[in-house]
Amino acid sequence: MVEKMGLQPLQAIIPQSAAKGLSASEVTDQFGSFLSDAITKLNTQQQQVDQLNEQFAKGEISDVHQLIIASEKASLGLELTVQLRNKVIDAYQEVMRMQV
């Protein structure tokens, strides 16, 4: 699903980074741009759904299927984003519990 949204999968970033000999800060920058791109795409999907809802309310759209499909895509994208955030928070908390 991530590739369909036009995003490069995270698994593809890590091996490429190691093969290119990138530093940790460069990998961090790539990860940051990956997250930023994903959030931008999610925001675009949400805006499209809002626009379709408005058009439907005005009676400009007669095909409800378009609206439902766009709405479900945006909903799934938001759910994925929330789950990723939860996993990152869990990983951070686990690292913070480690004893040095």
Side-chain angles (χ1 to χ4, degrees):
M1 179 177 154
V2 173
E3 285 186 40
K4 289 182 182 179
M5 290 181 7
L7 297 175
Q8 184 179 12
L10 185 56
Q11 291 87 0
I13 292 175
I14 295 170
Q16 287 176 3
S17 302
K20 292 179 184 175
L22 297 177
S23 69
S25 66
E26 291 170 331
V27 173
T28 303
D29 290 342
Q30 280 186 350
F31 183 69
S33 67
F34 171 80
L35 289 178
S36 177
D37 189 33
I39 290 173
T40 302
K41 298 266 185 193
L42 180 63
N43 188 35
T44 302
Q45 284 181 337
Q46 294 289 344
Q47 289 174 350
Q48 287 174 349
V49 169
D50 289 342
Q51 184 180 17
L52 287 172
N53 276 331
E54 187 176 313
Q55 289 175 346
F56 181 71
K58 290 179 182 178
E60 296 172 357
I61 294 178
S62 60
D63 186 18
V64 181
H65 295 96
Q66 229 181 358
L67 175 62
I68 293 172
I69 290 170
S71 191
E72 283 299 313
K73 281 183 181 180
S75 176
L76 286 172
L78 181 61
E79 188 175 331
L80 174 65
T81 304
V82 169
Q83 291 299 323
L84 284 173
R85 182 205 60 158
N86 291 342
K87 290 294 182 183
V88 168
I89 289 172
D90 289 343
Y92 174 78
Q93 290 174 343
E94 186 66 30
V95 167
M96 293 308 292
R97 280 191 288 247
M98 291 176 136
Q99 293 182 2
V100 180

